[in-house]
Amino acid sequence: MSAVYVDGGPDHGAIWHFGEPVKEQRALQEGKAFANLSHLPVVAIDGEDRLTWIHSLSTQDVEHLQPGEWKSGYILDPHGHIEFPLLIVDDGNTLYLFTEIAAVDGLIKFLHSMKFMLRVDIRDASSEVALFRAPGKSDPIGGPYALVPRSEIESMSANFALTAQQVGTWALDAQRVASGRPRFGFESDPKTIPNEIGTLNIAVHMDKGCYRGQETVAKVFNLGKPPRRLTLLHLDGSGVDLPAPGAPITLDGKAVGFLGTVARHHELGPIALALIKRSVPLEATVTAGPIPATQEEIVAQ
């Protein structure tokens, strides 16, 4: 089947599916799938101080990151809100930070502002390397991943296709939603802190030294609970249409959150992620846009 491409949004230009999304989801679940994510931008950092520098700026422990080891992380604002999402890998010479299209310009500007006298060089490397979701069972950060030189995209695809099926963002999103993995810009807004979306001890290392915004993360973790929680919604599938991402979540006519990613899962049916006020009872049926939905816990109340 020929590829159907995403025609807008943060995945513009990516492959949506190849005509058989259910088959693609099953292959992904079995670890026998790969995906070309070359539409996502990447920032490269060269220089002797690259690991210790990003270690000091981000929520992740990368001071001793090994070549080929993948980690997720964030750069937070001073109040602990998620400002830039990061998917991090080092090849032994260069540190690569994959991020979202909407975040890359701001990320590069921020990194240049924090360079000072350190031995680091920063550049947009989106024309040099690409991200692939490699074959294998899914891990907590959505991998396994592969760092692929742009000149080798075609050959890498052919090599993966010998043992795995290529899939698109439909299958990836369905698996991500079912697994409760949030994505920046979908399950987050400018006020989101990591505690709300279940990424502590995944994108946020809880035992490393100081970084910008750490005080908020630590205070909420130690002394209380955040005002919102990431929740998996099971949408009423009796109709044809699904609610749009960003639609309000309401309870008894009052707004209690917003809808994130919406997906059609091959086993669970129509599902979505949402960021909802913690005060909403987990057993309550909420409304996502015009669609009734039941809740399943991801982040504990």
Side-chain angles (χ1 to χ4, degrees), residues 100-111:
E100 296 285 352
I101 293 172
V104 64
D105 291 342
L107 175 60
I108 292 173
K109 182 178 179 180
F110 170 77
L111 292 175

Side-chain angles (χ1 to χ4, degrees), residues 39-40 47 53 114 117 154 163 191 197-198 242 253 271:
H39 64 289
L40 293 176
W53 184 50
M114 300 299 293
M117 299 297 291
E154 187 173 335
T163 57
K191 296 182 179 180
I197 56 175
L242 294 179
I271 54 176

Side-chain angles (χ1 to χ4, degrees), residues 167-272:
V167 304
T169 60
W170 183 328
L172 293 172
D173 281 344
Q175 184 185 69
R176 180 173 63 79
V177 172
S179 300
R181 281 188 286 108
R183 180 177 176 183
F184 177 82
F186 287 78
E187 287 73 47
S188 70
D189 61 15
K191 296 182 179 180
T192 301
I193 62 174
N195 312 61
E196 296 178 310
I197 56 175
T199 55
L200 302 185
N201 293 313
I202 300 174
V204 180
H205 195 284
M206 299 302 289
D207 297 320
K208 61 164 283 187
C210 294
Y211 54 86
R212 189 171 73 161
Q214 183 191 28
E215 182 178 354
T216 298
V217 173
K219 183 177 180 180
V220 173
F221 177 74
N222 290 317
L223 300 179
K225 293 183 177 180
R228 302 179 296 182
R229 55 178 167 81
L230 186 69
T231 304
L232 175 64
L233 298 183
H234 295 269
L235 303 170
D236 183 348
S238 58
V240 176
D241 297 329
L242 294 179
I249 304 296
T250 59
L251 177 63
D252 298 328
K254 296 181 180 180
V256 294
F258 67 88
L259 194 65
T261 308
V262 181
R264 292 188 185 273
H265 191 270
H266 70 290
E267 293 178 337
L268 300 177
I271 54 176

Side-chain angles (χ1 to χ4, degrees), residues 117-166:
M117 299 297 291
L118 294 171
R119 295 166 295 179
V120 292
D121 292 303
I122 307 152
R123 69 182 185 279
D124 187 332
S126 303
S127 63
E128 302 173 25
V129 296
L131 179 67
F132 266 54
R133 202 293 193 178
K137 291 282 190 177
S138 184
D139 62 30
I141 63 172
Y145 293 108
L147 180 70
V148 181
R150 287 271 169 180
S151 60
E152 298 178 15
I153 286 178
E154 187 173 335
S155 60
M156 182 61 75
S157 296
N159 183 56
F160 282 156
L162 294 175
T163 57
Q165 178 180 353
Q166 187 171 1

